[in-house]
Amino acid sequence: MSFYSFAYHQLLKRHFFAITGPNRVLPDFLIIGAKRCGTTSLFTNLPEHPSITNSHHDNMGFFNDNFHLGVNWYKSFFITKSHKKKIEKEIGECLSFDTTTTYMENRTTAENVKKIKSDMKIIVMLRNPVDRAYSQFNRTKKDNVGVGKFEDIIKEEINELVNEKNSFKIARNKSNYIKKGIYYEQLKPWFELFPRENIGVFPTEEFKIDSKKIYNEIFDFLNLPHFTIKNNRIMEKGDYSPMKKELRDYLTDFYKEHNEKLFKLIGKEFEWNT
């Protein structure tokens, strides 16, 4: 990275915060995905817990897109060490976190996290990949007129995936409605690089039905006392027509094998294959 690029990102963009980076904390846990699975709600609501603080904003993409900017640039988005000690003195524990939904999409990101913090805890929110794909499509359709038909797009993506054979890669310049729901391929590197007990996987469906239960499971995973999130805001909620049954059955059948591999990897099952 050139001096001018460094100066732009560190000084012009981050100002005072960049200078104080060395005196700020690294996150204790990451929420790495998946997209359209409730991660924004977690980012918004988890800091209600008195022992949790989040980064300045979500989807910073440090460990994938901005790793070259350095650790002090990253730390500039978190609380100071003195602030952390103050919370620990008052509450007993203080954990910071970063949420970026694209973190789980490639192995290099997991390797970068390992280099910076080998004991990082990882939280993953997963939604039935059929619903996840349709939600992403409708969000895209809302923002972009003339996006095309969902059925045509996903069938084209599946054909491309079949032709790729064993080369699984999520390109950043494509929609990847189908690939983003093949969670096994994305999470496998994380389970290879981090202890199983450091990775917590939680279902979006149960989060919608009983958010208090999932929040408390997350707090257990983080070794924090239970806490009731009073202002449980559901962020980026979609409102669109249901998927056609025949298309849903087609996608459910497609994902079944991938889901089974995921369930074996994470050691738990979700009711997605029916």
Side-chain angles (χ1 to χ4, degrees), residues 29-35 37-39 42 98-101 103-105 121-127 180 183-184 186-188 190-191 198-204 207 214 217-218 221 262 265-266 268 270 272:
F29 67 97
L30 302 175
I31 300 176
I32 66 171
K35 188 174 184 178
C37 293
T39 55
L42 288 186
D98 161 18
T99 298
T100 299
T101 57
Y103 278 167
M104 68 180 276
E105 294 179 0
K121 285 202 167 185
I122 311 296
I123 289 177
V124 191
M125 289 289 286
L126 297 182
R127 181 181 186 180
K180 286 179 182 290
Y183 304 130
Y184 168 80
Q186 298 172 73
L187 289 179
K188 184 181 176 183
W190 295 86
F191 277 85
N198 278 40
I199 304 176
V201 182
F202 306 93
T204 303
F207 181 61
I214 296 299
E217 287 182 4
I218 291 173
F221 171 70
L262 169 73
L265 176 70
I266 67 177
K268 62 171 72 173
F270 306 135
W272 292 346

Side-chain angles (χ1 to χ4, degrees), residues 43-164:
F43 179 81
T44 303
N45 299 331
L46 278 178
E48 273 196 35
H49 193 293
S51 292
I52 295 179
T53 67
N54 57 3
S55 56
H56 177 267
H57 59 271
D58 62 346
N59 288 311
M60 286 188 294
F62 170 67
F63 289 105
N64 49 8
D65 297 334
N66 296 308
F67 196 63
H68 62 285
L69 295 177
V71 174
N72 284 334
W73 176 86
Y74 184 48
K75 290 168 69 175
S76 73
F77 293 93
F78 296 92
I79 62 171
T80 62
K81 295 176 182 177
S82 59
H83 190 184
K84 177 183 175 72
K85 288 181 179 179
K86 180 181 178 182
I87 295 175
E88 288 176 336
K89 186 176 181 180
E90 295 174 353
I91 307 297
E93 188 67 86
C94 177
L95 303 180
S96 297
F97 75 100
D98 161 18
T99 298
T100 299
T101 57
T102 55
Y103 278 167
M104 68 180 276
E105 294 179 0
N106 67 75
R107 184 181 183 89
T108 301
T109 304
E111 292 172 346
N112 287 341
V113 174
K114 183 79 171 181
K115 291 175 187 175
I116 301 301
K117 192 177 179 69
S118 60
D119 62 345
M120 187 78 78
K121 285 202 167 185
I122 311 296
I123 289 177
V124 191
M125 289 289 286
L126 297 182
R127 181 181 186 180
N128 184 325
V130 177
D131 297 320
R132 195 221 65 79
Y134 196 51
S135 176
Q136 182 191 344
F137 168 78
N138 280 282
R139 177 57 190 242
T140 303
K141 185 178 179 180
K142 182 179 179 181
D143 297 335
N144 301 281
V145 178
V147 72
K149 292 184 178 179
F150 180 63
E151 182 174 359
D152 295 339
I153 294 172
I154 59 101
K155 287 185 177 180
E156 181 179 345
E157 286 193 11
I158 289 175
N159 288 333
E160 290 179 358
L161 184 62
V162 171
N163 293 332
E164 288 176 9

Side-chain angles (χ1 to χ4, degrees), residues 26 41 70 115:
L26 281 169
S41 295
K115 291 175 187 175

